[in-house]
């Protein structure tokens, strides 16, 4: 009987030297259950921290969504006005020299919106990669498209709209994009925001400058001041800039809506895990208490019988 350990004896010294079999022989009753309960407590604490984080992310995204949507509504009329003007031109179709601008986000945890844009870009470029040049905004779309089309990938722009998107910022990006060459179409891919639960990938096709230049008769009802060619070039660049500016706002609103939804779902899943772990913890704790009570009762009965 002198070999039996005290019920509070520690087995760390045996486990430290790898004596697993010996440690199992000397583990007092309920010790493993106690270790399991400790692990469950740590898991509950860890998942609770994650739940608080995802809930905060969802609340922040919800707050930013309202502001982004309001600013996007302010930028939308500029793009719609130039699109109405360019609707006088013949429908633009993909030709031998096209530019694809994939608008993605700089941050993750926003559901499938970036993958959707990349998927549409692949659908456009795959049939004839040599006919396209690819540009991305945001960091999340660049790795996939650069890996697929290293020869067609022209540039990637990141850290746009740190505080908010400005037209000047969009104009500078377009200026760099158009330095890649004269394209017959510029196709801007982005997530168009409809509401907090609904957004869809959209492809806005802008006819190239040569198409605009060759269709001057469509603008016969308009008066031009100064150099006509320079005016048309400025109009083309303004149209691309306004379209990209609006697309950036639309995609930002879609990103925030997707993040709000995904973080809300993550919070619900975390709370469900916490509930399941709490049930397991309470059952294990009750089992440990019951075991200890049985041992006390048995010991008291044995002492009573001996006396």
């Amino acid at each position: 009987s002198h070999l039996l350990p005290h019920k509070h004896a520690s087995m760390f010294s045996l486990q430290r030297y790898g004596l697993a079999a010996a440690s199992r022989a000397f583990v007092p009753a309920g010790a493993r259950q106690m270790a399991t309960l400790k692990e469950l407590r740590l898991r509950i604490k860890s998942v609770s921290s994650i739940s608080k984080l995802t809930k905060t992310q969802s609340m922040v995204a919800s707050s930013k969504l309202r502001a982004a949507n309001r600013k996007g509504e302010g930028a939308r009329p500029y793009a719609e006005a130039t699109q109405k003007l360019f609707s006088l031109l013949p429908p633009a179709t993909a030709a031998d020299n096209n530019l694809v601008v994939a608008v993605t986000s700089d941050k993750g945890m926003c559901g499938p919106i970036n993958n959707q844009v990349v998927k549409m870009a692949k659908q456009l470029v795959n049939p004839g990669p040599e006919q396209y040049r690819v540009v991305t905004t945001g960091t999340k779309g660049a790795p996939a498209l650069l890996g697929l089309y290293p020869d067609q990938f022209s540039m990637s722009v990141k850290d746009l709209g740190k505080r908010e998107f400005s037209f000047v910022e969009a104009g500078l990006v377009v200026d760099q994009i158009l330095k890649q060459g004269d394209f017959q179409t510029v196709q801007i891919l982005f997530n168009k925001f409809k509401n907090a639960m609904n957004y869809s990938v959209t492809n806005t096709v802008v006819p190239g400058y040569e198409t605009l230049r060759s269709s001057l008769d469509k603008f016969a009802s308009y008066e031009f001041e100064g150099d006509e060619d320079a005016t048309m070039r400025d109009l083309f660049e303004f149209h691309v800039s306004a379209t990209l500016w609006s697309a950036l706002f639309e995609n930002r609103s879609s990103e925030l809506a997707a993040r709000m939804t995904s973080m809300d779902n993550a919070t619900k899943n975390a709370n469900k895990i916490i509930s399941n772990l709490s049930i397991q913890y309470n059952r294990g704790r009750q089992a440990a208490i019951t075991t200890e009570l049985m041992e006390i009762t048995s010991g008291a009965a044995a002492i009573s019988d001996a006396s």
Side-chain angles (χ1 to χ4, degrees):
S1 60
H2 65 280
L3 294 177
L4 294 177
H6 189 271
K7 66 177 181 179
H8 298 298
S10 173
M11 303 307 298
F12 290 122
S13 59
L14 295 176
Q15 293 173 353
R16 180 180 178 182
Y17 293 102
L19 303 179
S23 66
R24 283 195 295 271
F26 286 91
V27 171
R32 291 191 193 179
Q33 189 66 42
M34 291 167 59
T36 303
L37 292 176
K38 182 178 180 181
E39 291 172 3
L40 286 172
R41 283 198 301 271
L42 291 174
R43 288 185 63 188
I44 291 172
K45 184 178 179 180
S46 175
V47 178
S48 296
S49 299
I50 294 172
S51 177
K52 291 177 183 177
L53 176 62
T54 54
K55 185 176 181 180
T56 302
Q57 289 275 11
S58 178
M59 294 173 63
V60 170
S62 176
S63 176
K64 289 184 176 181
L65 175 60
R66 289 188 289 270
N69 194 28
R70 185 171 58 252
K71 293 171 184 176
E73 289 175 352
R76 198 173 297 152
Y78 294 94
E80 291 176 347
T82 55
Q83 286 169 5
K84 183 177 180 181
L85 184 62
F86 270 65
S87 65
L88 299 173
L89 301 177
T93 56
D96 295 332
N97 188 20
N98 309 282
L99 176 67
V100 171
V101 181
V103 180
T104 61
S105 68
D106 285 313
K107 298 179 181 179
M109 297 191 297
C110 52
I113 64 167
N114 294 315
N115 290 336
Q116 290 174 351
V117 171
V118 171
K119 184 178 179 180
M120 178 172 277
K122 289 164 60 179
Q123 290 174 349
L124 289 173
V125 178
N126 274 343
E130 67 281 352
Q131 300 175 355
Y132 288 87
R133 303 293 294 175
V134 179
V135 171
T136 64
T137 67
T139 60
K140 294 302 179 180
L145 293 175
L146 176 60
L148 289 169
Y149 314 110
D151 297 329
Q152 287 74 36
F153 197 90
S154 295
M155 60 181 289
S156 176
V157 185
K158 63 179 182 178
D159 296 331
L160 289 175
K162 278 294 187 180
R163 298 188 63 181
E164 65 177 74
F165 299 112
S166 67
F167 185 80
V168 173
E169 194 175 44
L172 291 173
V173 173
V174 168
D175 183 60
Q176 293 297 318
I177 289 174
L178 296 181
K179 286 181 180 180
Q180 307 294 320
D182 289 326
F183 300 99
Q184 292 172 294
T185 65
V186 178
Q187 304 185 41
I188 301 177
L189 313 182
F190 61 97
N191 287 277
K192 186 174 182 62
F193 179 80
K194 296 179 181 178
N195 54 59
M197 300 298 295
N198 193 2
Y199 36 87
S200 58
V201 183
T202 302
N203 180 11
T204 299
V205 181
V206 179
Y209 172 70
E210 290 302 325
T211 303
L212 177 63
R213 187 71 184 83
S214 62
S215 303
L216 283 177
D217 57 304
K218 303 292 184 181
F219 302 95
S221 58
Y222 295 89
E223 294 183 3
F224 293 91
E225 293 184 0
D227 185 13
E228 193 173 88
D229 286 340
T231 302
M232 298 305 289
R233 171 65 72 174
D234 290 342
L235 176 62
F236 169 70
E237 292 182 1
F238 178 82
H239 179 40
V240 179
S241 299
T243 303
L244 178 61
W245 188 39
S246 179
L248 289 169
F249 273 115
E250 294 280 352
N251 200 75
R252 172 64 62 81
S253 296
S254 300
E255 173 195 348
L256 292 170
R259 181 172 293 115
M260 181 182 69
T261 302
S262 63
M263 291 296 99
D264 185 56
N265 291 335
T267 302
K268 291 178 181 177
N269 291 336
N271 290 336
K272 189 179 296 185
I273 292 172
I274 291 171
S275 177
N276 293 334
L277 289 174
S278 297
I279 291 173
Q280 292 181 37
Y281 175 78
N282 291 333
R283 286 176 178 172
R285 185 167 173 268
Q286 188 63 45
I289 293 171
T290 303
T291 301
E292 290 181 6
L293 289 174
M294 290 176 63
E295 290 175 351
I296 295 171
T297 305
S298 300
I303 294 172
S304 177
D305 293 341
S307 62

